Amino acid sequence: MTGNVLVIIPLAGGRPKRTAFEPLTVADSLVQQSGGEVSSLLLGPGAAQAAESLGAWGVERAYAAEVGAEDYAPLEWVRLIAETARAENAAVILLSADSIAHDMAGRVAARLEGALASDCVGLTRSEGRLRLIRPVFSGRLLLTAEFAGPGPLVATLRPNAFAAAQPARTGAGAVVPLATRRNEKDLSVIMTEFAKAAAGRPGLTEAAIIVSGGRGVGSAEGFKLILELADALGASPGASRAAVDAGYAPHSLQVGQSGKTVNPALYIACGISGSMQHLAGMRTSKCIVAINRDPQAPIFRFADYGIKGNLFEVVPALLAELKRKA
Amino acid sequence: MKIAVCLKLAPASTADIRVAPGGQEPLLTGVEMSVSFYDEYALETALRLRETSPGSTIHALSVGGGECVKCLQHALALGVDNVLHIQEPGADARAAARLAAAALRPLTPDLVLCGRQATDDDLWFFPGALGEWLDWPHLSAVFSLDVAPGKSALKCRRRIEGGEQTLEAALPVVISCDRGPHEPRIPTLKGRLASRKMLLPERTAGGLGIAARALEPALATVRYAPPAQRTPKKVLSGAPSETAAGLLRLLRHDEKII
């Protein structure tokens, strides 16, 4: 089994997302451990230009596919990834875990007759075996597993679970433009419309700080306080299922089972009791703060810092304190 | 329209799950099990499609051991037309997709529905692998779908980071479902009782022409472990202005994250 690693980098607005560099760092550590080369495939408008800077990230060959963003065709992406993986004889294919990655990863693994590991929080290699750690049972257990082939391993990595650091060595960084002529199969699924969410705030999956509101915010009006605190901290707002179901917040903000899985450096839960379903989506956050007036709320058992108090008093006090310091 | 739904039994979302002695497997004895969270939305979607396109049939299938019976009885209690139990105890997602593809190909459904991820392995593998091995398109994590009568394509909506996509897919197609606007229905007692008397047709890997080698687990389990327990570092109490200042101090100076 050769040790080549292919990193898939989807572009947003012509640039890799912040979290796209985490798989590159993991790729470097894998080849440091047992040899092989790192290559990458960039997908989206601006790919050729973005590919030019990847030598500094230890990439030998940066494949650039200028595929359309407005007419996203997931099966075209699958084909390009599988073809590039074959050309590179890749043993490992890495993607940062998000909706697009989940769209591709399983199908690529099946096409290459390999295996899939989703949402990994650990990935190392020793003696020709890949060892991975991933949450299962909605985060209630962690599974450590090994893979020794046959076929490549496709792994999606949980955003923010790995550091992104430029490796000490550089790669050749040769840009390889890919032809993007679509075939009939590529077009069997095609995006016809994209309704952009309100701009100005970072997406939940990649956010470094999240301020979330639950049932305790009491109303859509009450949820505005969550938005205010999020803005003051440069954070993304989130919500529990209870808050979404009650109509206080849009579904796009939902964290937990049936919403997004997040992994920020800081997660501030306001008026969230901490159901198993909510914990499933945020328990790997580095630092968790709980603000809840119910001292028995389960969230306190999972929080690093707790404030047992009324969020309608505590959050305005936090806002006042942040303004005072600014 | 001929609709197939793939169902898996998984621990209920609220169940506490521990590790069996030896660390090699989860301890599931006594844990409440039900149809996997997202699979329930797939089944609900199928039932609603059948209501709006008369003449449609629903075929439910489940791959695994004896636990599949509960899934299929649940589907029958809700009125699906046919069920199929593919006997393969301990099948992982890759094996299940291979077997489901072999069983579905001769059935020629227009649409295969399943959950976006199973709530036990949380792998997101089955839908894409099934699409690949059927050589049909697939779409993942769809919360709303629309099939115009007599059309050979359907329109789906899904939420991704930064917005909502609308996509069109050609039939036949595999669709994995996210939680949609319609909550899964609950079977009536009459339906449940009737379902227990119905026969559950079975197939095996051999009968489907799949060799045992193709069903070997994709990954070898090293161990299961509970996530690291978080020890609460500090609980702040007092006047809101004091707790707020105290918290920001901790986040700035101790944690250095703001």
Side-chain angles (χ1 to χ4, degrees):
Chain A
M1 176 172 175
T2 69
N4 291 348
V5 183
L6 174 65
V7 176
I8 310 305
I9 304 180
L11 299 179
R15 290 167 49 184
K17 281 195 205 174
R18 184 178 62 80
T19 46
F21 296 100
E22 294 162 9
L24 284 169
T25 308
V26 173
D28 179 63
S29 74
L30 289 176
V31 300
Q32 293 298 325
Q33 282 159 25
S34 49
E37 288 183 348
V38 178
S39 59
S40 73
L41 166 60
L42 296 93
L43 294 144
Q49 205 191 340
E52 283 171 15
S53 57
L54 288 182
W57 285 86
V59 170
E60 297 300 330
R61 283 162 302 283
Y63 295 83
E66 299 266 345
V67 288
E70 265 100 66
D71 52 356
Y72 170 62
L75 295 180
E76 176 187 35
W77 286 44
V78 168
R79 177 176 60 76
L80 289 167
I81 295 170
E83 285 172 1
T84 309
R86 284 200 183 106
E88 279 292 319
N89 194 19
V92 184
I93 300 155
L94 299 179
L95 306 91
S96 180
D98 62 10
S99 303
I100 300 292
H102 289 313
D103 231 3
M104 316 279 125
R107 191 154 192 146
V108 169
R111 185 164 302 176
L112 299 172
E113 293 291 333
L116 173 69
S118 288
D119 253 328
C120 296
V121 295
L123 182 61
T124 51
R125 176 157 42 199
S126 67
E127 293 160 19
R129 283 207 180 99
L130 287 154
R131 180 173 272 222
L132 56 99
I133 305 174
R134 49 184 301 269
V136 290
F137 295 99
S138 312
R140 284 169 283 180
L141 295 181
L142 280 176
L143 167 66
T144 304
E146 280 187 346
F147 177 72
L153 177 74
V154 180
T156 67
L157 309 183
R158 179 164 288 193
N160 301 329
F162 300 88
Q166 276 198 3
R169 63 185 184 89
T170 57
V175 177
V176 188
L178 289 181
T180 52
R181 197 176 310 121
R182 292 173 161 180
N183 64 36
E184 200 186 326
K185 271 193 181 160
D186 293 343
L187 295 170
S188 55
V189 180
I190 191 144
M191 188 172 85
T192 54
E193 216 183 300
F194 183 63
K196 221 172 158 192
R201 295 192 177 103
L204 268 178
T205 322
E206 69 216 60
I209 303 178
I210 293 173
V211 180
S212 261
R215 200 194 301 274
V217 304
S219 64
E221 194 57 34
F223 196 77
K224 285 189 184 152
L225 206 48
I226 302 300
L227 299 176
E228 256 186 81
L229 182 57
D231 286 344
L233 287 166
S236 283
S240 72
R241 175 170 165 175
V244 170
D245 283 359
Y248 306 162
H251 188 285
S252 57
L253 301 189
Q254 190 177 322
V255 171
Q257 193 180 51
S258 76
K260 294 275 183 298
T261 299
V262 299
N263 188 26
L266 172 61
Y267 189 90
I268 305 182
C270 309
I272 292 175
S273 63
S275 69
M276 206 71 99
Q277 291 92 326
H278 190 73
L279 290 167
M282 46 63 80
R283 72 188 293 164
T284 56
S285 305
K286 309 272 179 317
C287 178
I288 298 175
V289 173
I291 303 170
N292 204 302
R293 66 177 176 193
D294 172 10
Q296 302 302 323
I299 189 84
F300 286 117
R301 282 189 280 125
F302 298 90
D304 298 282
Y305 301 107
I307 298 184
K308 298 186 176 172
N310 186 339
L311 77 95
F312 292 103
E313 291 168 12
V314 177
V315 174
L318 283 167
L319 284 167
E321 190 67 21
L322 284 164
K323 268 196 199 109
R324 206 168 60 80
K325 281 274 160 84
Chain B
M1 189 157 71
K2 202 190 277 183
I3 307 161
V5 190
C6 304
L7 303 173
K8 183 178 190 183
L9 201 73
S13 312
T14 48
D16 194 17
I17 299 170
R18 288 158 208 277
V19 182
Q24 293 296 297
E25 50 188 27
L27 189 63
L28 294 177
T29 5
V31 170
E32 189 197 340
M33 306 287 279
S34 58
V35 174
S36 174
F37 183 84
Y38 299 101
D39 294 0
E40 283 209 79
Y41 288 94
L43 182 54
E44 179 60 32
T45 304
L47 292 164
R48 284 183 174 262
L49 277 174
R50 190 178 60 177
E51 284 159 10
T52 52
S53 22
S56 296
T57 51
I58 303 176
H59 304 254
L61 81 91
S62 189
V63 182
E67 77 282 0
C68 296
V69 168
K70 196 169 171 184
C71 280
L72 297 175
Q73 283 178 340
H74 178 83
L76 283 168
L78 289 171
V80 304
D81 300 279
N82 292 292
V83 296
L84 178 63
H85 177 188
I86 301 174
Q87 269 288 358
E88 183 65 23
D92 69 2
R94 187 168 72 173
R98 268 195 222 285
L99 291 164
L104 288 169
R105 203 172 291 116
L107 185 70
T108 62
D110 301 292
L111 173 64
V112 181
L113 296 168
C114 55
R116 67 172 209 197
Q117 73 197 92
T119 46
D120 50 7
D121 64 19
D122 287 314
L123 197 56
W124 302 77
F125 189 36
F126 183 86
L130 181 60
E132 179 65 22
W133 288 325
L134 283 168
D135 200 15
W136 296 353
H138 88 279
L139 254 171
S140 51
V142 164
F143 73 90
S144 154
L145 65 85
D146 211 359
V147 195
K151 285 276 173 66
S152 60
L154 51 71
K155 199 175 246 196
C156 297
R157 286 158 69 200
R158 59 193 295 258
R159 302 181 194 95
I160 67 158
E161 293 75 12
E164 189 184 299
Q165 293 180 326
T166 304
L167 298 108
E168 279 181 15
L171 298 176
V173 63
V174 177
I175 303 277
S176 84
C177 296
D178 203 340
R179 182 186 175 212
H182 306 293
E183 287 306 308
R185 62 196 73 183
I186 296 161
T188 59
L189 179 62
K190 196 175 150 208
R192 288 221 308 268
L193 291 173
S195 75
R196 286 186 205 156
K197 295 187 193 121
M198 296 185 198
L199 284 176
L200 306 178
E202 284 182 20
R203 300 288 298 273
T204 58
L208 291 166
I210 303 285
R213 267 197 60 191
L215 302 174
E216 281 169 9
L219 300 170
T221 298
V222 175
R223 77 179 83 88
Y224 283 92
Q229 277 294 323
R230 215 177 270 264
T231 334
K233 292 180 192 163
K234 192 159 190 163
V235 177
L236 298 136
S237 55
S241 60
E242 284 167 33
T243 55
L247 176 66
L248 292 179
R249 211 160 33 239
L250 287 165
L251 297 179
R252 280 199 183 106
H253 303 300
D254 291 26
E255 302 288 342
K256 298 184 171 50
I257 38 182
I258 61 167

